[in-house]
Amino acid sequence: MHVAAGDVYEHAVLLALKSQDEAALESSFTQLKTFYADTRSLLPAAPQEWMFAGLDLLRLLVANRIAEFHTELELIPAEGMTVPHVVSAVQLEQWLMEGAYNKVLAAGKSLPPECSFAVEQLSATVREEIASCAEASYSSLKLADAQVLMMMTSKKELEQFAEQHGWAIEGDLVHFHRAAADDANAEQHLRLINQSLLYAKELERIV
């Protein structure tokens, strides 16, 4: 009966992830973690426990709940830290903290399929951050460079993104509405953009 209950809680989490129901996801993870804690001394370790711990970390990361992310991470024992879902969450958080945005965008193909919900949401957030950095760093960029920087698959996708952000495309250039920034922030944005652009071009060359 305990095992059956665990299966129900695990399936509830997966269903909430699939439907992207934030309230249901919060409730389902709370119930599942409580079940694991209450039955740890009564039942063998659940084979999927650390996979779900990794998914919970990704959920917190997507929601920018970084303090809770690190609190939950500290509760995972050594054997759980090698589970791909936990490894993926830790790696994505590190890249976000470093500003290595294009590594986040490129991560989708290498992550476990259960992590796709986080990659999709983080990709949208990261593209917005790259767009903000580009606006603060440049007055314009070549379309080809902007497409590589955003890791977009086509010129049409970039054009739609540019239209949404009020950017003007003239010839082979995209012109930004440059945001005001102090010198220190402008320098930081420029460094992040150049780092991301170099990484994206190197990734494109390898592929």
Side-chain angles (χ1 to χ4, degrees):
M1 182 175 179
H2 286 301
V3 176
D7 288 342
V8 169
Y9 293 138
E10 290 175 349
H11 284 298
V13 167
L14 294 176
L15 183 61
L17 282 174
K18 186 175 182 179
S19 63
Q20 296 187 7
D21 185 331
E22 295 295 333
L25 193 55
E26 184 83 28
S27 174
S28 297
F29 265 118
T30 297
Q31 291 177 323
L32 180 59
K33 287 188 288 186
T34 300
F35 170 81
Y36 286 149
D38 290 348
T39 61
R40 187 160 286 122
S41 62
L42 304 172
L43 297 172
Q48 302 291 337
E49 179 173 0
W50 306 124
M51 182 196 86
F52 281 98
L55 294 177
D56 191 31
L57 290 176
L58 287 168
R59 174 183 72 92
L60 295 172
L61 183 60
V62 166
N64 200 31
R65 292 159 63 176
I66 304 303
E68 292 173 73
F69 175 97
H70 285 284
T71 298
E72 292 296 326
L73 184 61
E74 290 176 3
L75 299 176
I76 299 175
E79 63 265 25
M81 294 299 294
T82 61
V83 173
H85 304 74
V86 175
V87 172
S88 297
V90 172
Q91 184 66 85
L92 285 169
E93 194 266 347
Q94 181 180 342
W95 285 337
L96 287 171
M97 295 303 102
E98 293 173 351
Y101 301 130
N102 280 75
K103 291 185 179 181
V104 177
L105 293 177
K109 296 179 181 178
S110 63
L111 297 184
E114 297 87 359
C115 300
S116 61
F117 79 96
V119 174
E120 291 170 4
Q121 294 180 57
L122 285 175
S123 293
T125 300
V126 161
R127 281 199 172 97
E128 289 300 326
E129 184 63 25
I130 291 174
S132 295
C133 288
E135 289 176 334
S137 304
Y138 297 103
S139 58
S140 64
L141 270 178
K142 289 184 178 180
L143 282 175
D145 286 342
Q147 184 176 326
V148 170
L149 181 64
M150 302 287 181
M151 294 197 74
M152 292 181 170
T153 57
S154 67
K155 180 182 176 182
K156 182 177 180 180
E157 185 180 4
L158 176 61
E159 289 174 343
Q160 292 174 340
F161 190 84
E163 183 178 357
Q164 293 168 2
H165 289 74
W167 300 343
I169 294 179
E170 298 177 1
D172 65 345
L173 293 176
V174 56
H175 297 275
F176 305 115
H177 294 298
R178 189 165 185 174
D182 59 44
D183 291 342
N185 283 337
E187 183 178 350
Q188 181 182 16
H189 287 317
L190 186 59
R191 184 170 63 252
L192 289 174
I193 284 291
N194 286 338
Q195 175 185 345
S196 296
L197 189 56
L198 286 172
Y199 173 81
K201 287 185 173 180
E202 179 64 15
L203 181 66
E204 186 181 59
R205 185 188 67 80
I206 293 172
V207 173

